[in-house]
Amino acid sequence: MTGPLSGVAMVTGAAGGIGAEVVRALVDAELPVALIDRDVPALWELAAELDATGARVLAVATDVTDSADVDTAVAKVEVELGPIEYLVNAAGVLRSGPAAELSDEEWDTTFAVNAGGVFHASRAVARVMVPRRRGAIVTVASNAAATPRMSMSAYAASKAASAMFTKCLGLELAGHGIRCNVVAPGSTRTPMLTALQGDAAERASVDGVPAAYRVGIPLGRIAEPAHIADAVLFLLSERAAHITMHDLTVDGGAALG
Ligand code: NAD
């Protein structure tokens, strides 16, 4: 379905809802996959589960806000798995609340992970991809990057930063044969969404709540992580060989475009 994929993949936020689904899809496509996350127990559990199936995976506990940590992880992956062909930036955090009530720490953490983490991982991987003149990068941003959301100012702004950074990188790397794209999910069934709104999340997301959402979700359901993983794998694959700097929204129509 996604077309040819071959080479080593590295996924940040690998232990999370969307990241783990991307990892599983890449493993299904028989790629060696490096799992990057700061949640060590969840990372080890996923790696052990995949390892038991015979998959070639390497878990590297890494905090993407720390550029030295990320550089070390990339070097380790290149030595232990081989040249990195694909990077998926899926690590992210959501600190919600009215803008006037956000703390400095909430703003700084949001940008450190969602924007800084994408910069650190993409820069480290670009440095090894450029001499080889091949590779593809996909950043998982959010439809909130382009559509204002109540109580999501820091998150939305950080996602806009990561999306635009990825597209600028795509412009710089196009001449080196490297494609950089964005997937912008809407509400997706993962721990991040549950932590935000609890059990009421799904109905509220789908129907729309005037105080919190603009239109709800026209397709009538939130996304499953597999919907997002499908889009990510498509953009990584040769089927997307002529697509770069693209922002692919996967939100059931919530952003009306
Ligand atoms: P999740 O909370 O399930 O997973 C996020 C993962 O990122 C976790 O495993 C966490 O440990 C990891 N992480 C956080 N900070 C990190 C750091 N400093 N270093 C390394 N790893 C770190 O969330 P998810 O829903 O799977 O989100 C994945 C991506 O999709 C995020 O970037 C998120 O913003 C984006 N997204 C999610 C939704 C949604 O509704 N779930 C919607 C739009 C965009």
Side-chain angles (χ1 to χ4, degrees), residues 36-257:
I36 306 292
D37 207 291
R38 70 172 173 194
D39 182 341
V40 176
L43 189 61
W44 268 204
E45 191 181 331
L46 178 64
E49 177 205 318
L50 293 171
D51 202 46
T53 69
R56 196 161 165 233
V57 295
L58 175 70
V60 191
T62 306
D63 184 338
V64 297
T65 67
D66 180 339
S67 67
D69 211 14
V70 173
D71 290 348
T72 302
V74 166
K76 184 177 169 72
V77 173
E78 291 256 319
V79 168
E80 297 198 18
L81 287 184
I84 298 169
E85 183 83 17
Y86 308 111
L87 167 67
V88 179
N89 289 303
V93 292
L94 173 55
R95 301 281 187 271
S96 63
E101 292 171 21
L102 281 179
S103 67
D104 290 354
E105 188 279 329
E106 286 169 320
W107 177 271
D108 291 346
T109 298
T110 301
F111 269 77
V113 179
N114 296 356
V118 170
F119 167 57
H120 297 149
S122 302
R123 179 180 62 180
V125 166
R127 285 173 175 165
V128 295
M129 284 179 173
V130 164
R132 299 195 283 258
R133 301 188 61 79
R134 52 185 297 123
I137 295 172
V138 170
T139 293
V140 180
S142 170
N143 66 354
T147 304
R149 298 286 188 200
M150 298 290 284
S151 294
M152 286 203 188
S153 56
Y155 179 77
S158 72
K159 288 297 185 175
S162 74
M164 185 49 81
F165 168 76
T166 302
K167 289 190 262 188
C168 289
L169 187 67
L171 180 59
E172 292 184 14
L173 299 188
H176 298 279
I178 298 161
R179 298 180 299 103
C180 302
N181 289 292
V182 176
V183 168
S187 295
T188 306
R189 196 187 308 280
T190 73
M192 179 179 281
L193 188 72
T194 310
L196 175 65
Q197 293 164 315
D199 294 339
E202 184 166 341
R203 208 58 258 160
S205 297
V206 172
D207 291 345
V209 177
Y213 291 94
R214 206 156 55 100
V215 294
I217 301 175
L219 281 182
R221 60 184 185 278
I222 64 170
E224 299 300 329
H227 293 129
I228 313 306
D230 280 347
V232 170
L233 261 71
F234 165 68
L235 286 171
L236 292 178
S237 79
E238 276 301 303
R239 282 207 169 176
H242 208 49
I243 300 175
T244 192
M245 294 173 265
H246 187 68
D247 196 328
L248 178 54
T249 300
V250 185
D251 70 350
L256 301 181

